[in-house]
Amino acid sequence: MVNDAETFGIDPADGHLERALALSYAPKRARAGVAAVFALDATLARLALGTRDAMVAQLRLTWWYEALGDLTKGVMPAQPILRTLRDEGADAAALTKVAEGWELLLPAEIGDADLEAFAAARASVFTEAARLAGAHDDVASAGRGWALAELAMRSAERARVAAATRLAMPSLQVAAAQRWSGAGRFLGALIHVARADLAGVAPPGAPRRVARLAWHRLTGR
């Protein structure tokens, strides 16, 4: 299994360990599978956003898309994230949508419709993580808001950051207002992290932000 930082989709160099804290709220029985889902998404994000040549990025994303498709056929994967997804019973077919979503960001010019389609596809991270954890919260809309907010924090393009932030806010507000179940509280915590990131009212790891996550873990609010 990959190490904790990689498992939770965290780059140790970015100092943003609140996401790892939030994901640690996942039910213990589902933690490995949930971790692998988010590690997959983080890997795809790095390929889509960190590869200068769009054609190279496309080829690499296609490899992951096909590898996920192979999982549905019972092919034994060698790659650690894929192996964990298989071992933990993840729905590889559902996760191919995540790869499709990241591909939508490869063109140099994209509009609101493209960002919405990306968010809908990447929301499969939330829906699959919820399924593995046995959570029955309303996660589809929450996942779309999280997908856009997290993109805004990752992207270096000002126009894309502004558009993703604008589109994310309505879904984040609704998701933050609901009471999350015990099994789904790790996803609710990610919503609070995303809102705090976009608001920029305090740096990651600030006491007020960590305290907010602790309160959410206790109450689901």
Side-chain angles (χ1 to χ4, degrees), residues 2 34 61 100 168 202 207:
V2 288
V34 166
L61 288 171
E100 291 172 348

Side-chain angles (χ1 to χ4, degrees), residues 38-134:
F38 280 90
L40 170 70
D41 176 69
T43 299
L44 299 176
R46 286 191 290 270
L47 294 178
L49 301 178
T51 307
R52 292 185 178 182
D53 189 322
M55 184 174 294
V56 172
Q58 177 70 68
L59 289 172
R60 291 173 177 172
L61 288 171
T62 297
W63 183 91
W64 281 92
Y65 179 88
E66 293 177 349
L68 287 165
D70 286 342
L71 278 185
T72 68
K73 304 171 186 175
V75 176
M76 182 74 70
Q79 206 284 335
I81 293 173
L82 294 172
R83 190 165 61 245
T84 302
L85 289 172
R86 182 210 61 196
D87 293 346
E88 299 300 321
D91 184 346
L95 291 173
T96 59
K97 297 177 184 177
V98 183
E100 291 172 348
W102 282 112
E103 286 182 6
L104 293 172
L105 299 187
L106 295 183
E109 300 291 335
I110 61 173
D112 283 5
D114 301 299
L115 286 173
E116 294 280 18
F118 157 78
R122 194 185 180 198
S124 297
V125 172
F126 259 45
T127 55
E128 181 58 14
R131 187 189 70 81
L132 290 170

